[in-house]
Amino acid sequence: MSFGTRLKDKRKELGITQPQLASMLGVSQSAIGSWETDVNSPRATILYDLFEILHCDANYLLQDETKELYKNEATPEEFEKIIRKYRYIAEHSPNGIKTIDTVLDNEYAIAEQLEKQKDRIQELEAKPASNVTPMRTKPYYQRMASAGSGEYLFEDIPTDQIEVEDTPLSRKADFVLGVNGQSMEPTYNDGDNVLVRKTSDVSIGHIGVFIRGSHCYIKELGEDRLISHNEDKETYPDIYPDNVPIRVVGEVLGKV
């Protein structure tokens, strides 16, 4: 509820007409009308008189504006429960704060994905039934495959869920994987989600998901190495098996 709506409701509650309120404040009736429709706002000096006439205070008339002003600031409860503890851990436990930052980043990414899914559902619900695109739910590893330096991917790691369009390609996929890094640009970019079919056999020249040691990569399979598509080979070199074997996780079918 806006300032103008609260002003109008309070005026009517007290049985005061717009002309009467205008006379009490020494302003025009059109000024009252512009305040009540939120076109304009009264000056600070007039607000004090308004509070007195309407028998209310700023907390009543300006509560929504105040919430909007301070919505990004921590409340006293949040400061005591979260920020003070975070600062204490940061000062006394470097490893602990790294763990907290990792959890926060991961949970924030999950929340963003859930928000996107909610928006998508709302969009679908708003469309006529004939225009609704069929969807499928797939297991989702968020940004776990690296197109750069590599990150861990464990077979027993918990997955989230993501909705993708129901297409012949998505039906072949077993899960969706998020891409990190820039070594596969321009084919796949950092932040892309890709469809992956589980397989232990990827043909040479095809892009797949691979594990070398404890690292996971999205690369093109070459004769003797995993190939990066980025032309800057100094920054994004190809991956050679050396003494560490390379295991195939699956074949990348395309972007979501």
Side-chain angles (χ1 to χ4, degrees):
M1 188 182 294
S2 68
F3 166 82
T5 302
R6 292 185 187 279
L7 170 60
K8 183 177 181 179
D9 288 351
K10 192 65 176 176
R11 174 180 61 76
K12 287 186 173 182
E13 178 186 325
L14 297 174
I16 301 173
T17 65
Q18 280 191 354
Q20 289 172 334
L21 182 57
S23 177
M24 293 175 187
L25 294 171
V27 299
S28 65
Q29 181 181 343
S30 62
I32 304 296
S34 69
W35 300 344
E36 291 185 351
T37 54
D38 294 305
V39 174
N40 290 310
S41 300
R43 299 190 305 274
T45 53
I46 292 179
L47 277 174
Y48 291 109
D49 293 333
L50 196 57
F51 298 150
E52 184 176 350
I53 293 169
L54 298 180
H55 306 297
C56 65
D57 58 16
N59 289 331
Y60 174 77
L61 285 182
L62 301 174
Q63 57 184 281
D64 294 285
E65 285 74 10
T66 302
K67 288 178 182 177
E68 182 66 21
L69 181 63
Y70 293 104
K71 68 178 182 180
N72 292 324
E73 295 191 11
T75 64
E77 292 79 9
E78 289 171 334
F79 186 87
E80 289 297 327
K81 185 177 180 180
I82 301 173
I83 299 176
R84 188 183 299 278
K85 292 179 181 178
Y86 183 91
R87 291 176 179 175
Y88 187 86
I89 294 170
E91 180 179 356
H92 300 286
S93 177
N95 290 332
I97 206 64
K98 289 180 181 178
T99 300
I100 290 174
D101 286 340
T102 299
V103 172
L104 284 174
D105 290 342
N106 186 57
E107 291 301 321
Y108 189 87
I110 291 173
E112 284 186 317
Q113 186 60 41
L114 290 174
E115 181 67 21
K116 291 178 181 178
Q117 290 181 19
K118 182 176 71 174
D119 292 342
R120 175 62 175 167
I121 291 172
Q122 291 175 346
E123 289 177 4
L124 292 176
E125 290 176 345
K127 290 181 179 180
S130 60
N131 294 330
V132 173
T133 303
M135 304 295 289
R136 299 179 70 88
T137 300
K138 295 288 183 181
Y140 179 42
Y141 292 95
Q142 293 199 46
R143 300 175 65 81
M144 290 299 296
S146 174
S149 60
E151 291 186 1
Y152 296 105
L153 175 68
F154 300 103
E155 291 182 349
D156 59 349
I157 191 170
T159 60
D160 298 308
Q161 297 293 315
I162 188 173
E163 282 194 335
V164 298
E165 290 190 13
D166 185 7
T167 64
L169 201 62
S170 68
R171 292 172 203 157
K172 295 179 182 178
D174 293 297
F175 59 88
V176 176
L177 202 57
V179 180
N180 275 340
Q182 301 171 328
S183 75
M184 288 301 288
E185 291 185 352
T187 308
Y188 295 115
N189 300 313
D190 180 51
D192 282 346
N193 289 325
V194 295
L195 296 163
V196 181
R197 178 180 65 87
K198 288 182 180 179
T199 179
S200 59
D201 183 22
V202 173
S203 300
I204 292 175
H206 288 210
I207 297 174
V209 179
F210 306 91
I211 289 179
R212 178 179 178 271
S214 60
H215 294 83
C216 179
Y217 302 90
I218 289 180
K219 301 287 183 185
E220 178 188 328
L221 180 63
E223 291 281 355
D224 58 349
R225 63 187 181 273
L226 303 180
I227 301 171
S228 299
H229 283 190
N230 195 308
E231 294 182 356
D232 183 2
K233 293 295 185 180
E234 183 175 347
T235 306
Y236 305 103
D238 295 343
I239 304 298
Y240 289 84
D242 298 328
N243 296 324
V244 182
I246 293 175
R247 181 164 62 90
V248 180
V249 175
E251 179 185 11
V252 175
L253 303 178
K255 295 181 184 179
V256 172

